[in-house]
Amino acid sequence: MSDVSAQPTPEIQPADACSLAKFTTLCLGGAAARIETATSSGEIVQKVREAQARDEPVLILAGGSNVVIGDEGFPGTVVLVRSRGLRVVAEDPETVTVRVEAGEPWDELVAATLANGWSGLECLSGIPGSTGATPIQNVGAYGQEVAETITGVQVYDRHTGELGRIAAADCGFAYRSSIFKYSDRWAVLSVDFRLTRSPLSGPVRYAELARSLGVEVGQRVPLADARATVLRLRAGKGMVLDPSDPDTRSVGSFFTNPVLDQAAYQLFRARAAEFGEPPAWPGTGDVVKISAAWLIDKAGFAKGHPGPAGVAISTKHTLALTNRSGTARTADLVTLARRIRDGVHERFGVTLHPEPVLINCTV
């Protein structure tokens, strides 16, 4: 007869063992029912399938730099994507196509492409998060978007249970959006980028970057110069992760720049007339993109504007909402975001929309 008393007692994890706050750059979010780590594409698929077999909801989480998780956490399995690696899958004298695993840290990838003399990602330096998240958000900054270099995305289709590849033309890329952003159908496994063999950047399109580089818009600069300047500009806005800087405890830009049709734009201009001509840029088709940061500031929410429990607008960038105290709750951040959204709408008649993915919370 076995001695039941001699059997090991199952370990009871503390309540915060599955806290998701430690996996997000905001340091916010409640607990998950279960957390699994996947270190390869195969493991991502396996973990998702196992959770589906248990009839549990699944959240795929990598760098956590563009997600806001509610205080109630996630009532299912969270799969932490930690797959690494990149390899050349096609090349010719002018270009090279690299396949990058979803968990590869984005800025490490950018640094590697520049070290190899590959142009196309240099203006996206310093962006936190993982490579697999970039097509979801169509990540962009300083005049570049990943949609310009992505040729395809390898995915697991959670609806059909099949592996596949979605060509760039079918990814629905738009300003800070794609078919992946508001759907849990696809798990991104890896991403293909076609880059140019060149020691020079692409044409510099962003006026602030051109000024900082001392060149005209449209000129090219050495890759290392483009990267160093972008990193400096981002750091000055609290957009490069730094544990010693509470302004970087954020998801970067919290709101997207509104895109207005001509009728809405003219109404906005009339309401904004007292401030002079507002910054605006022509978009695709007969639309105009306006500055969310300008709207927030002119509506009375300046840099450093406080919210409850130590959340605040960044002291360096009006678009970033920060968990400065490190002890706030998601509800506090959401309260501040709603105040800003409602204040901007009341003043200018324009509605701001969140840029990060919201899990178990709404703004």
Side-chain angles (χ1 to χ4, degrees), residues 128-168:
S130 69
T131 298
T134 60
I136 296 172
Q137 183 73 4
N138 185 17
V139 164
Y142 294 101
Q144 285 184 338
E145 289 183 335
V146 292
E148 300 166 355
T149 52
I150 289 177
T151 60
V153 181
Q154 286 67 235
V155 298
Y156 171 63
D157 189 328
R158 290 155 68 172
H159 290 184
T160 66
E162 297 177 347
L163 300 174
R165 182 180 188 273
I166 300 179

Side-chain angles (χ1 to χ4, degrees), residues 290-303:
I290 60 177
S291 168
W294 186 94
L295 290 168
I296 293 168
D297 180 67
K298 299 307 181 187
F301 302 94
K303 294 174 184 176

Side-chain angles (χ1 to χ4, degrees), residues 301 304-313 321-322 324-325 328 332-333 335-337 339-340:
F301 302 94
H305 182 91
V311 300
I313 293 178
L321 307 188
T322 66
R324 290 188 61 82
S325 66
D332 302 316
L333 188 86
T335 295
L336 177 58
R339 288 177 186 170
I340 294 169

Side-chain angles (χ1 to χ4, degrees), residues 98-117:
V98 292
R99 179 163 297 168
V100 188
E101 296 301 312
E104 186 71 18
W106 175 253
D107 193 53
E108 292 184 23
L109 167 64
V110 176
T113 62
L114 270 61
N116 281 285

Side-chain angles (χ1 to χ4, degrees), residues 12-284:
I12 299 175
Q13 294 185 327
D16 65 351
C18 290
S19 170
L20 297 172
K22 57 192 171 186
F23 300 114
T24 71
T25 55
L26 268 170
C27 300
L28 294 175
R34 183 194 305 262
I35 295 179
E36 302 275 359
T37 300
T39 59
S40 67
S41 292
E43 282 193 351
I44 296 171
V45 174
Q46 175 191 346
K47 302 294 186 184
V48 171
R49 284 175 171 167
E50 289 173 350
Q52 289 177 317
R54 295 190 297 266
D55 199 27
E56 294 177 358
V58 183
L59 172 64
I60 298 174
L61 186 64
S65 62
N66 197 53
V67 62
V68 181
I69 300 174
D71 295 312
E72 295 182 358
F74 186 74
T77 294
V78 172
V79 178
L80 298 177
V81 175
R82 300 294 184 261
S83 52
R84 298 292 301 269
L86 66 151
R87 59 190 176 92
V88 174
V89 293
E91 55 185 322
D92 59 40
E94 287 78 35
T95 68
V96 59
T97 300
V98 292
R99 179 163 297 168
V100 188
E101 296 301 312
E104 186 71 18
W106 175 253
D107 193 53
E108 292 184 23
L109 167 64
V110 176
T113 62
L114 270 61
N116 281 285
W118 302 335
S119 172
L121 304 180
E122 58 278 355
C123 293
L124 304 177
S125 294
I127 295 175
S130 69
T131 298
T134 60
I136 296 172
Q137 183 73 4
N138 185 17
V139 164
Y142 294 101
Q144 285 184 338
E145 289 183 335
V146 292
E148 300 166 355
T149 52
I150 289 177
T151 60
V153 181
Q154 286 67 235
V155 298
Y156 171 63
D157 189 328
R158 290 155 68 172
H159 290 184
T160 66
E162 297 177 347
L163 300 174
R165 182 180 188 273
I166 300 179
D170 298 320
C171 288
F173 288 130
Y175 171 59
R176 300 299 178 268
S177 188
S178 70
I179 62 171
F180 309 110
K181 185 167 183 179
Y182 299 112
S183 172
D184 64 358
R185 176 173 179 176
W186 297 281
V188 174
L189 305 178
S190 61
V191 186
D192 292 349
F193 299 88
R194 181 182 292 129
L195 306 173
T196 302
R197 297 180 188 272
S198 173
L200 298 179
S201 71
V204 177
R205 303 170 184 161
Y206 201 77
E208 180 188 19
L209 179 58
R211 287 194 302 271
S212 297
L213 286 163
V215 301
E216 298 295 324
V217 171
Q219 287 186 259
R220 300 172 186 266
V221 299
L223 291 174
D225 291 355
R227 175 171 169 79
T229 303
V230 167
L231 287 173
R232 178 170 55 80
L233 289 171
R234 290 186 63 86
K237 299 174 182 179
M239 296 293 186
V240 176
L241 291 180
D242 180 351
S244 67
D245 183 357
D247 275 330
T248 70
R249 200 176 294 126
S250 77
V251 289
S253 298
F254 194 90
F255 295 104
T256 57
N257 291 323
V259 178
L260 308 179
D261 61 27
Q262 285 296 327
Y265 176 59
Q266 295 307 323
L267 288 173
F268 158 68
R269 285 184 69 203
R271 296 183 69 162
E274 69 178 271
F275 300 107
E277 190 66 24
W281 307 269
T284 303

